[in-house]
Amino acid sequence: MFNWAKQQLANVAGTEEPIYGPSAIQTVSEQAKTTPYTELKREDLKWFQQGGTNVETQVFYFTADSGHIGMVQIIYSSLAGIRKTAQLTSKIIYPDQSKPILWSSDPLENWSFEDGVSLKAQGCSITLSPDGNSYTIKSTLNKNTVLDLKVHRTAPGFVVGKDGTTHFGTDPQNPWGSMRHAFWPRCKVEGNILTQAGPVDFSGKGIFIHALQGMKPHHAAARWNFVNFQAPTYTAVMMEYTTPPSYGSTTVNVGCIATDEKILFAGANNTATHTSTKTDPEIGWPEPTAFKFEWTSGTSKAVLEGPYGPRIDRVDVMAEVPGFVKTIVASAVGTKPYIYQFLPKPELVIDHEGQQHREHGTLFTEATFISGQ
């Protein structure tokens, strides 16, 4: 009970959590030992809209045939279940960085979740089709980025394990926090984002991720790695986070290798390694300069490795996220969240069912540092 009380104080006041140790986290990796992954149904894409303090997101990443990289994200935030807000953000990265990155972030007004799976707000909607196979994204909220896009999944959606969820808390029967990721790893994208300079055609490939951080984000994770590799035949996606010492600096990694027809393999037995780094002189974080990402399931394996090349962006999370999320994290001592984004073009090497496959593609990858713990 005393541990629970300390944790509630940390949730509300933003204080540092005590050291509970690795026994206070029940990772999805344990589920994956017997159930590597579970395919999604339409009802599995409902917004949780949890009470308490949490951040929930739905994010679409686009790898356009034109060479543009894009992102559209809905961020739903709750503070102690009392104050709730929603925000729409978008990003366009131009080929060869020929133009500055175009970023938009707008609060939503009069928003609601229809049937639990679609979002409707003034000037914005993200609608899941009745068959659960596609999202339509429309927004006129920002004149710099008018959204008109459709995302159709071509491979099955999935969660790792039975339900994709890691639980936090000293009593497994009554967890006080959670982390969940659900994926559409390979999608066909149609439509465009209309900018002041004209429309940007995003026809091509994409992925969709529904994430729930059912506790303060900096309490759940100190560091993140995200991998989105898109090639003509294959997709490789990976989401990895490492908890603060409060939960034993535990690393959880979920991901898959997919084609248009199926998921080749998925699970939690993956690794993300920064094989070399350099100190960022302005911020102090160990900015990665080379990587090795590995996916393993039984006798199947896939590897991406090589240099990151020049970063395309360094995102000051506290400057770009909605003000409400800042409130959740700002009081935490030692929290300095930055995202390093890169866009290399490595070769994916897959060994699966006795055959090796190789394919070059586009890798959008992020290394996020939240706290030095």
Side-chain angles (χ1 to χ4, degrees), residues 307-336:
Y308 278 106
R311 71 176 183 236
I312 56 169
D313 202 3
R314 183 187 62 195
V315 180
D316 179 354
V317 175
M318 297 299 281
E320 293 200 358
V321 299
F324 186 49
V325 179
K326 294 179 191 178
T327 304
I328 296 177
V329 235
S331 55
V333 178
T335 299
K336 187 173 60 175

Side-chain angles (χ1 to χ4, degrees), residues 60-139:
F60 302 83
Y61 294 94
F62 313 122
T63 304
D65 295 338
S66 61
H68 293 82
I69 301 295
M71 180 270 286
V72 171
Q73 179 176 225
I74 292 287
I75 305 172
Y76 166 81
S77 306
S78 171
L79 179 60
I82 300 170
R83 185 181 174 193
K84 300 175 182 180
T85 63
Q87 191 98 358
L88 174 70
T89 66
S90 65
K91 190 170 193 172
I92 299 175
I93 301 168
Y94 290 86
D96 302 317
Q97 290 73 66
S98 56
K99 295 181 181 179
I101 290 171
L102 184 57
W103 164 262
S104 297
S105 183
D106 300 282
L108 298 185
E109 297 181 3
N110 302 320
W111 51 272
S112 63
F113 296 108
E114 298 189 338
D115 297 330
V117 294
S118 299
L119 179 136
K120 186 176 182 180
Q122 185 175 320
C124 171
S125 64
I126 296 183
T127 307
L128 181 63
S129 62
D131 62 7
N133 291 329
S134 64
Y135 279 97
T136 300
I137 305 167
K138 291 184 179 293
S139 173

